Amino acid sequence: MRNYFHLIAVLALFTSAPTMADIIHKERSLYRNILVEENGDLRCLKFDEKTRTSSQSCMYVSKPKELVFNYTKLTFASLLMIDNPQNVLIIGLGGGTLSNVIHQLYPQASIENVEIDPAVIKVARDYFDFIETEKVTAKVQDGRIFIKRAAIKKEQYDWIILDAFNGDYIPEHLLTKEFFDEIKSVLAPNGIIAANTFSSSKLYQHESATYHAVFGDFINVTTEKNSNRIILAGFKAPPTAQEITQRIEKLTPLLSPYNIDIKAISQGMKSTKNNQDWPADTKVLTDQYSPANLLNF
């Protein structure tokens, strides 16, 4: 009898263990190891070959419209702050998920995707249905260099999304006051910045202090489901409660095909006005003081 129960326990262990994902693409680019894994209906882009625990982008093969990551859904809280964006800039492509959804929502909008790694752009095209048109483009360039040149050309963007990761964290030079000043210079008067970052990082306070130093009060968009947060910054004045309600009603049917519950997301929005959760003497990150490699974990 003891052997029988031991056998049952062993079988249960094997049957409950997660299935191994298949690697359908693997390469070493100029910047990183790139893996595309498929586990059943889920296909993911990963940059960390050693642990393979974190994904940069994922899609459901049978339901490519439906968003997988919570942070991508939170990014669309931006649409409660602005109406009908026509010039969109995304720094950090991943699989192109954000670009695709924005294009489908606003087909007349110009969307510029900036990605430092040409291999990532190719993988997005080949494995993640990344849409490119005359309106939707992908440019190989460091995000900060792109912003500097855009400022010289006096470009203006309604919606700037910061979503660049190197596999561990946000690149240091895209976390500083100087960079945010440059971002601010290309933001349209009624535009908004949405930055994907973390609420559990040791850099939380420094990032918050840096955004506040450049943009003043901003909005944190969070959820209890994971440790991501979206920072919404750069807006002149927040919309009224009535405007938020009207936008929720308008956006709900548009966003539901992507599995985005905009009403629930709105409940996770909190302004730093009267809710500053970092010490007043927190050091601002600058080009001379940006110790992301020391503080991010």
Side-chain angles (χ1 to χ4, degrees):
M1 183 64 73
R2 181 182 298 174
N3 290 336
Y4 170 78
F5 284 114
H6 176 72
L7 177 61
I8 294 297
V10 170
L11 289 173
L13 177 64
F14 278 99
T15 56
S16 63
T19 58
M20 291 294 292
D22 294 323
I23 298 175
I24 61 174
H25 179 76
K26 178 180 178 180
E27 69 177 284
R28 173 67 186 173
S29 76
L30 291 171
Y31 298 95
R32 53 178 69 96
N33 292 306
I34 295 177
L35 297 172
V36 180
E37 293 185 347
E38 202 161 280
N39 192 339
D41 196 38
L42 188 66
R43 181 179 295 172
C44 293
L45 169 65
K46 301 189 176 187
F47 290 161
D48 187 351
E49 187 173 10
K50 292 181 180 178
T51 62
R52 293 164 56 185
T53 56
S54 62
S55 299
Q56 307 305 311
S57 186
C58 288
M59 66 177 284
Y60 297 113
V61 177
S62 66
K63 299 176 291 184
K65 265 192 169 186
E66 190 170 309
L67 295 181
V68 177
F69 287 147
N70 198 50
Y71 89 84
T72 55
K73 299 174 188 179
L74 296 182
T75 304
F76 288 91
S78 305
L79 299 179
L80 297 176
M81 308 294 291
I82 56 172
D83 275 321
N84 195 27
Q86 289 302 299
N87 292 293
V88 182
L89 174 62
I90 302 174
I91 297 180
L93 179 66
T97 301
L98 282 168
S99 179
N100 283 359
V101 175
I102 295 168
H103 172 63
Q104 290 159 4
L105 290 172
Y106 303 100
Q108 298 306 312
S110 295
I111 305 171
E112 291 190 78
N113 292 276
V114 180
E115 169 59 52
I116 195 171
D117 193 340
V120 170
I121 297 176
K122 187 175 187 304
V123 165
R125 290 168 178 157
D126 293 346
Y127 295 95
F128 293 91
D129 299 338
F130 171 49
I131 300 168
E132 290 175 283
T133 69
E134 291 182 357
K135 291 281 190 178
V136 182
T137 60
K139 186 178 185 65
V140 179
Q141 197 165 81
D142 177 89
R144 187 155 181 184
I145 293 173
F146 180 92
I147 292 294
K148 286 179 181 290
R149 293 177 177 174
I152 292 171
K153 294 184 288 185
K154 300 189 183 302
E155 301 283 359
Q156 297 272 278
Y157 298 94
D158 306 317
W159 189 6
I160 300 175
I161 299 173
L162 304 180
D163 193 27
F165 283 82
N166 58 19
D168 294 319
Y169 206 73
I170 304 166
E172 287 189 9
H173 67 300
L174 304 184
L175 278 173
T176 69
K177 180 180 183 299
E178 291 87 345
F179 174 62
F180 295 153
D181 282 330
E182 293 161 1
I183 286 283
K184 189 175 183 179
S185 73
V186 299
L187 185 66
N190 294 316
I192 194 166
I193 296 158
N196 175 30
T197 182
F198 294 94
S199 57
S200 60
S201 163
K202 292 180 183 177
L203 274 175
Y204 178 93
Q205 295 178 352
H206 294 279
E207 287 183 60
S208 297
T210 307
Y211 272 96
H212 194 268
V214 175
F215 300 107
D217 287 318
F218 58 87
I219 290 174
N220 280 314
V221 190
T222 59
T223 176
E224 294 180 357
K225 291 183 179 179
N226 63 21
S227 61
N228 283 86
R229 68 164 166 162
I230 298 296
I231 292 175
L232 302 180
F235 51 88
K236 302 301 181 187
T240 64
Q242 182 179 4
E243 288 172 327
I244 292 285
T245 299
Q246 291 172 345
R247 288 174 180 172
I248 289 172
E249 291 176 357
K250 176 183 175 182
L251 290 167
T252 294
L254 299 176
L255 295 177
S256 61
Y258 305 96
N259 196 26
I260 301 172
D261 185 342
I262 194 65
K263 184 175 182 179
I265 289 171
S266 71
Q267 295 168 357
M269 298 170 65
K270 180 182 289 188
S271 172
T272 57
K273 186 177 182 180
N274 304 321
N275 288 292
Q276 185 169 316
D277 59 354
W278 64 92
D281 60 350
T282 300
K283 198 165 185 178
V284 169
L285 298 172
T286 68
D287 287 343
Q288 286 72 44
Y289 180 76
S290 182
N293 59 327
L294 300 176
L295 295 178
N296 60 357
F297 294 113

